[in-house]
Amino acid sequence: MTGRMRLPQGGLVKRDETLSFTFNGKSYKGLAGDSLAAALLANGVHLVGRSFKYHRPRGIVSAGAEEPNALLQVGDDPRTEPNLKATQVELVAGLKAAAQNAWPSVDFDVGAVNSLAARFLPSGFYYKTFMWPASAWKTYEHFIRRAAGLGRSPSRRDPDRYDKTFAHCDVLVVGAGPAGLAAALAAGRAGARVVLVEQDHLLGGALLSQPGAAIDGKPALDWVAEAEAELAALPEVRVLKRTVCHAAFDHNFFGLVESVTDHLPQPPEQLPRKRLWKLRAKQAVFCCGAIERPMVFADNDRPGVMTASAVRSYINRYAVRPGRRAVVFTNNDSGYGAALDMEAAGIEVAAVVDTRPVPAGPLSERAEALGLRILSDSAVIAVEGKKRVRRVRIAELDAEGKNWVGAPQVIDCDLVANSGGWNPTVHLFCQAKGRLRWDDVHGCFVPDKAMQWGQHVAGAANGAFGLGACLREGAAAGAGAAADCGFAEASSAAPQAENHDFLPGRWLWLIPGEQPLGRKAKHFVDQQNDVTAADLRLALREGYSSIEHVKRYTTTGMATDQGKMGNVNAIGIVAEALDRHLPDVGVTTFRPPYTPVTFGIFAGRDVDDLLDPVRRTPMHAWHERNGALFEDVGQWRRAWYYPREGEDMHAAVNREVKATRDSLGILDATTLGKIDIQGPDAATFLDRVYTNGWLKLGVGRCRYGLMLKEDGMVMDDGVTTRLGEQHYLMTTTSGNAAAVLAHLEDYLQTEWPDLRVYLTSVTEQFATMTLSGPNARSLLAEMTDADLSPGALPHMAFTPGKVAGVPARIFRISFTGELSYEINVPASFGMAVWQALMTAGERYGITPYGTEAMHVLRAEKGFIIVGQETDGSVTPLDLDMSWIVSKTKDFIGKRSLTRADMAKPDRKQLVGLLTSDPQVVLPEGAQLVEKVLPQPPMPMLGHVTSSYWSPNCGRSIALALVKGGLARKGETLYAPLADGRVIPCVVAESPVFFDPEGERLK
Amino acid sequence: MIESYLRQSALDHLGLAARAGDAPAGAAVIMAEKTLPAAVNLRGNKENPAFAAAVLEALGLQLPLEPNSVAAGDGLALLWLGPDEWLALAHNAPPEAEAQLAAKLRAALGDLHAAVTEVGESLACIHLAGPRARDVIAKGCPLDLHPRAFGGVGHCAQSHLAKTGVLLHQVGPENNGAPAFDLYTRRSFSDYLWRWLEDAGREYGLVVVAP
């Protein structure tokens, strides 16, 4: 036997499959098919936690997603997850669960002293207590964080895998109860692509807990089994079990979380633990059912007080007796269902307490016929027993139901099954901004009007509580949704069943207690957040009359609960206190997620190596083999420097820089953006996007260009070459290639559609290698058939040719100030050509240099790097580059350059900077001041943008943006550093530190 | 003089040839690199009948005008990429094929305003096929690949797959009924995309095969 409270027969559990598990360190046995809550109850465990604020003992209340109390910590660190609802956790062998919010144990909890201090923890407690003094918040926070909070986060990284996927369908059906199954069948039969989502691992919804129900003349679960088989056979239908539709976004976009392996004792290694479905549906049918509403009565949170439907679930689905002697407390017909099921299962029903003066309805009648003791026009006014219900006191109600009259009677019991009516589960409908209306007869909010196209609600979620109506509405909604997607309605008739709902009802929002409200006993409205009816009244007394304010002030319906159990009761109590009609109070906003989702699903597989693409050049493997360290440039991974044995970065970079100037360096420059430009208006186009003139560039010639944004700020730079009459090749900075292409396409398509120009990205068509240094020509000449003589190929010129037998484009351009050739070869030949150059270059001591050496070489020449010397707020004038800004033509950004602000003398301008001590290298980013004050703040003039040791100059060099810098040449500025050092430096006459005449280019 | 056998495909560094086997019967997903495609990007004005005529003359293919459709011929496919952009593709072609293809187009187009650009070197092609191929792609691509939405064989689309841009070309089913796709991405992203796909296909038992 698995638990002393297990019924000898019945249920949907597998009696031959016993599973061991532990709760709070103690071992128990359950059955396959149990929820964790069912298995605990089967072992007689009701007490599962302590409440959030008062640390009151709490028991299992429900059998579903609405559970407010049984929030458990499941699994061992780091696979531990907090706040799992025991009612939703499928029992697996070896499962370990523990109560939260209780220390040292649920039986004896230190925090329970909060109960004694209850009147010091009123609603708005946090706002009232921790506001003053503001400086003390850091102290308060420390304690609040420790005392509040449910559960513990894992202490190490999550070892599991998570997955994400996009999905599409014609019809999404949420919920596989009778309405959902009928909807999915109708839509599926019509041929629509259907996704049916069910949070449970079994289809059937409420039918799983109602074995007596019949559909089409057969047991309802037989019908469910047939429906499941038929859906499985329909090729366009996908049934997702153990999947919660947690979010409804605009335009029928939904978030679903599928639990893939949590129910497996040994999850296969290749499977993700959970999967996020990002589903786009054409139509959606919400068949989410309804959640039974508890009644708000004195000490209604004692373990052993459950909803009537939960009692039915535990008996019928799990074959578990939630108690031995029960009192049913109801205000409608459905409470009697629990009474009848308990009677049948051998649980003594001591009494059915009914607030209605005249119990009526089919179940009430059957209970009456069976001779159950029914106390009409009565209510439970007190519950005794701290860790478990021991007895209740019952009294008659007055005509309004606001007070009790006469002498209370006492009934011993260990279980109170209560029903306060039903609330349609409208969360997704409302997340999608659907509008509700109040149904006075059923005493609940029901969907009124969907605000998104193609959304339907069917069954109990729509206020159609009878089984027959559920099936009818489901079938109609499914067929209608399919028809709206263009699938002819199938002719099959809707399944038939009896149609009873839970009427009549007497809706009382607050059951009177023995003492005035707020005295001694507590009437809980929201057990998860420990909010009582008295808290709501207090909030109203303090002036919060909007329900949204009441919610925030009292925290009712917040956090993982999202108003599943208490919201309508809260609204009812507020309405009564304000003497307003309930719907006039309104509902709070429904927000995703419906139930909590684990963070892992949002990361999915975008972790570690797959977090972001690493872009590799064709020569990447060579760099790796030759010991390069790499640097991220956008998504590119570029060789940074190539340290030799015993070299640190400084030594390696110095060697690479020296070797390049002394003889020959080679750089992998593949990452430079390349845009192929063709068309008769190409020159005009370039003339408009660059600041300088392009109309006179000859074929085979290259020109440096600066590109501005509309605001006049430098956006990009690069060399563009005229390859043919109407054919140009633009290069861009590595990190900016895609942005520049988008910028240019934008202008072509929207501003200048008349220009006959086509752009094509060819960045990756070529492997690019730069030979730089006095021996560059000598080496290349050995390898090519092209004429490299200065007359044939001067500086800033281009020639096609073959390099090592491979067709190539050779550009004589230089970013180092040395004689340089940029060679483009087809990408697939990149590695072979590189290796050929390395081999042939040995005699010149050819030295591969990385991005760091490149930076030093260009800084020695005072060449800027867009994104380093510029930051989106720097104009060409700020860079002292007015020589490249045309006065005679228009270009993007030109008008902005004429604004008065651009001519202000104190704009930050780019200057060279030389430290007074040549050995000291300024840190990049260092702030510059005119005068050092004893402590910050002090007026800052600008900052260092680039700073290196220059082995060719034999000293440190730097570039900086300095207010009015161009007028400060020769001035001494200071860089006060965080470590207390102050570095004096002089604004240089020119930022060109090496070969200012450009002799070496010749 | 560098011989053409020294050309390296985008995924050369992964040593896929050594890993690739024959596709086992019933494999849910198979994956291979189709190395060194030849490709020419074509821009032009479809309203100009001379343009379509020139393309037909050069390639022997009708210019596809239906968005995301493909005209396929003997060893050559012409993919619609945009209202004024197409991609001519050939596989298993010699190194000079791309330049020849471009030259043929340029010659036929003459003075028409059009752009012919060789781009095959910039592309990597990953072939993904099998009953679960769509599920693998759906993990990172927001397109609906269902035949009713995508159009099935002979259709293509540009989208993103995980964090890379891709051009999807559905090339199967031909005989065995399972869908087959050629996924083109920029060469530098192919290492990431290949590893991402292998990881995504792991739960279905993805098998690396020879192309």
Side-chain angles (χ1 to χ4, degrees), chain A residues 63-78:
Chain A
E66 67 272 30
E67 176 59 36
N69 288 339
L71 303 182
L72 304 183
Q73 183 94 30
V74 176
D76 283 327
D77 199 21

PDB file of all heavy atoms in Angstrom, chain A residues 63-78:
ATOM      1  N   ALA A  63      -6.065  21.126  -6.448  1.00  0.00           N
ATOM      2  CA  ALA A  63      -5.444  20.034  -7.191  1.00  0.00           C
ATOM      3  C   ALA A  63      -4.914  20.545  -8.527  1.00  0.00           C
ATOM      4  O   ALA A  63      -4.755  19.779  -9.463  1.00  0.00           O
ATOM      5  CB  ALA A  63      -6.441  18.892  -7.401  1.00  0.00           C
ATOM      6  N   GLY A  64      -4.660  21.848  -8.606  1.00  0.00           N
ATOM      7  CA  GLY A  64      -4.260  22.368  -9.909  1.00  0.00           C
ATOM      8  C   GLY A  64      -3.346  23.574  -9.839  1.00  0.00           C
ATOM      9  O   GLY A  64      -2.698  23.821  -8.817  1.00  0.00           O
ATOM     10  N   ALA A  65      -3.335  24.343 -10.936  1.00  0.00           N
ATOM     11  CA  ALA A  65      -2.417  25.475 -11.084  1.00  0.00           C
ATOM     12  C   ALA A  65      -2.719  26.597 -10.106  1.00  0.00           C
ATOM     13  O   ALA A  65      -1.894  27.487  -9.916  1.00  0.00           O
ATOM     14  CB  ALA A  65      -2.496  26.012 -12.515  1.00  0.00           C
ATOM     15  N   GLU A  66      -3.909  26.565  -9.494  1.00  0.00           N
ATOM     16  CA  GLU A  66      -4.303  27.660  -8.605  1.00  0.00           C
ATOM     17  C   GLU A  66      -3.758  27.495  -7.204  1.00  0.00           C
ATOM     18  O   GLU A  66      -3.999  28.348  -6.347  1.00  0.00           O
ATOM     19  CB  GLU A  66      -5.837  27.749  -8.563  1.00  0.00           C
ATOM     20  CG  GLU A  66      -6.542  26.570  -7.896  1.00  0.00           C
ATOM     21  CD  GLU A  66      -6.869  25.410  -8.836  1.00  0.00           C
ATOM     22  OE1 GLU A  66      -6.107  25.233  -9.805  1.00  0.00           O
ATOM     23  OE2 GLU A  66      -7.847  24.688  -8.604  1.00  0.00           O
ATOM     24  N   GLU A  67      -3.017  26.414  -6.944  1.00  0.00           N
ATOM     25  CA  GLU A  67      -2.587  26.115  -5.576  1.00  0.00           C
ATOM     26  C   GLU A  67      -1.824  27.297  -4.948  1.00  0.00           C
ATOM     27  O   GLU A  67      -0.806  27.733  -5.471  1.00  0.00           O
ATOM     28  CB  GLU A  67      -1.688  24.876  -5.583  1.00  0.00           C
ATOM     29  CG  GLU A  67      -1.098  24.515  -4.227  1.00  0.00           C
ATOM     30  CD  GLU A  67      -2.171  24.252  -3.165  1.00  0.00           C
ATOM     31  OE1 GLU A  67      -3.221  23.692  -3.505  1.00  0.00           O
ATOM     32  OE2 GLU A  67      -1.939  24.639  -2.007  1.00  0.00           O
ATOM     33  N   PRO A  68      -2.315  27.791  -3.801  1.00  0.00           N
ATOM     34  CA  PRO A  68      -1.625  28.927  -3.187  1.00  0.00           C
ATOM     35  C   PRO A  68      -0.595  28.539  -2.129  1.00  0.00           C
ATOM     36  O   PRO A  68       0.275  29.331  -1.794  1.00  0.00           O
ATOM     37  CB  PRO A  68      -2.771  29.699  -2.524  1.00  0.00           C
ATOM     38  CG  PRO A  68      -3.754  28.626  -2.142  1.00  0.00           C
ATOM     39  CD  PRO A  68      -3.623  27.532  -3.172  1.00  0.00           C
ATOM     40  N   ASN A  69      -0.703  27.352  -1.575  1.00  0.00           N
ATOM     41  CA  ASN A  69       0.106  27.005  -0.406  1.00  0.00           C
ATOM     42  C   ASN A  69       1.225  26.018  -0.683  1.00  0.00           C
ATOM     43  O   ASN A  69       2.328  26.176  -0.166  1.00  0.00           O
ATOM     44  CB  ASN A  69      -0.784  26.402   0.689  1.00  0.00           C
ATOM     45  CG  ASN A  69      -1.670  27.450   1.340  1.00  0.00           C
ATOM     46  OD1 ASN A  69      -1.363  28.638   1.256  1.00  0.00           O
ATOM     47  ND2 ASN A  69      -2.742  27.020   1.935  1.00  0.00           N
ATOM     48  N   ALA A  70       0.906  24.970  -1.429  1.00  0.00           N
ATOM     49  CA  ALA A  70       1.878  23.884  -1.587  1.00  0.00           C
ATOM     50  C   ALA A  70       2.928  24.267  -2.620  1.00  0.00           C
ATOM     51  O   ALA A  70       3.072  23.641  -3.660  1.00  0.00           O
ATOM     52  CB  ALA A  70       1.162  22.591  -1.968  1.00  0.00           C
ATOM     53  N   LEU A  71       3.671  25.356  -2.324  1.00  0.00           N
ATOM     54  CA  LEU A  71       4.769  25.782  -3.195  1.00  0.00           C
ATOM     55  C   LEU A  71       6.046  25.198  -2.612  1.00  0.00           C
ATOM     56  O   LEU A  71       6.481  25.596  -1.533  1.00  0.00           O
ATOM     57  CB  LEU A  71       4.877  27.310  -3.228  1.00  0.00           C
ATOM     58  CG  LEU A  71       3.623  28.054  -3.672  1.00  0.00           C
ATOM     59  CD1 LEU A  71       3.880  29.552  -3.694  1.00  0.00           C
ATOM     60  CD2 LEU A  71       3.202  27.593  -5.038  1.00  0.00           C
ATOM     61  N   LEU A  72       6.640  24.273  -3.312  1.00  0.00           N
ATOM     62  CA  LEU A  72       7.741  23.520  -2.741  1.00  0.00           C
ATOM     63  C   LEU A  72       9.038  23.762  -3.504  1.00  0.00           C
ATOM     64  O   LEU A  72       9.039  24.198  -4.654  1.00  0.00           O
ATOM     65  CB  LEU A  72       7.413  22.021  -2.764  1.00  0.00           C
ATOM     66  CG  LEU A  72       6.112  21.626  -2.063  1.00  0.00           C
ATOM     67  CD1 LEU A  72       5.929  20.127  -2.085  1.00  0.00           C
ATOM     68  CD2 LEU A  72       6.084  22.136  -0.625  1.00  0.00           C
ATOM     69  N   GLN A  73      10.096  23.471  -2.787  1.00  0.00           N
ATOM     70  CA  GLN A  73      11.429  23.494  -3.388  1.00  0.00           C
ATOM     71  C   GLN A  73      11.690  22.055  -3.831  1.00  0.00           C
ATOM     72  O   GLN A  73      11.685  21.142  -3.008  1.00  0.00           O
ATOM     73  CB  GLN A  73      12.448  23.927  -2.331  1.00  0.00           C
ATOM     74  CG  GLN A  73      13.862  24.074  -2.830  1.00  0.00           C
ATOM     75  CD  GLN A  73      14.178  25.508  -3.245  1.00  0.00           C
ATOM     76  OE1 GLN A  73      13.634  26.458  -2.707  1.00  0.00           O
ATOM     77  NE2 GLN A  73      15.055  25.659  -4.219  1.00  0.00           N
ATOM     78  N   VAL A  74      11.917  21.850  -5.123  1.00  0.00           N
ATOM     79  CA  VAL A  74      12.049  20.488  -5.620  1.00  0.00           C
ATOM     80  C   VAL A  74      13.434  20.294  -6.219  1.00  0.00           C
ATOM     81  O   VAL A  74      13.906  21.127  -6.997  1.00  0.00           O
ATOM     82  CB  VAL A  74      10.958  20.179  -6.677  1.00  0.00           C
ATOM     83  CG1 VAL A  74      11.155  18.790  -7.270  1.00  0.00           C
ATOM     84  CG2 VAL A  74       9.569  20.282  -6.049  1.00  0.00           C
ATOM     85  N   GLY A  75      14.084  19.191  -5.846  1.00  0.00           N
ATOM     86  CA  GLY A  75      15.367  18.829  -6.437  1.00  0.00           C
ATOM     87  C   GLY A  75      16.546  19.342  -5.639  1.00  0.00           C
ATOM     88  O   GLY A  75      16.419  20.221  -4.787  1.00  0.00           O
ATOM     89  N   ASP A  76      17.714  18.745  -5.925  1.00  0.00           N
ATOM     90  CA  ASP A  76      18.951  19.118  -5.239  1.00  0.00           C
ATOM     91  C   ASP A  76      19.677  20.212  -6.009  1.00  0.00           C
ATOM     92  O   ASP A  76      19.642  20.241  -7.227  1.00  0.00           O
ATOM     93  CB  ASP A  76      19.889  17.899  -5.146  1.00  0.00           C
ATOM     94  CG  ASP A  76      19.434  16.941  -4.061  1.00  0.00           C
ATOM     95  OD1 ASP A  76      18.883  17.416  -3.056  1.00  0.00           O
ATOM     96  OD2 ASP A  76      19.625  15.729  -4.235  1.00  0.00           O
ATOM     97  N   ASP A  77      20.346  21.077  -5.278  1.00  0.00           N
ATOM     98  CA  ASP A  77      21.187  22.100  -5.872  1.00  0.00           C
ATOM     99  C   ASP A  77      22.238  21.425  -6.771  1.00  0.00           C
ATOM    100  O   ASP A  77      22.811  20.432  -6.362  1.00  0.00           O
ATOM    101  CB  ASP A  77      21.882  22.872  -4.738  1.00  0.00           C
ATOM    102  CG  ASP A  77      22.396  24.206  -5.193  1.00  0.00           C
ATOM    103  OD1 ASP A  77      21.899  24.704  -6.212  1.00  0.00           O
ATOM    104  OD2 ASP A  77      23.294  24.731  -4.538  1.00  0.00           O
ATOM    105  N   PRO A  78      22.524  21.892  -7.953  1.00  0.00           N
ATOM    106  CA  PRO A  78      21.975  23.072  -8.616  1.00  0.00           C
ATOM    107  C   PRO A  78      20.720  22.789  -9.439  1.00  0.00           C
ATOM    108  O   PRO A  78      20.267  23.677 -10.135  1.00  0.00           O
ATOM    109  CB  PRO A  78      23.119  23.474  -9.538  1.00  0.00           C
ATOM    110  CG  PRO A  78      23.746  22.180  -9.932  1.00  0.00           C
ATOM    111  CD  PRO A  78      23.606  21.269  -8.742  1.00  0.00           C
TER     112      PRO A  78
END
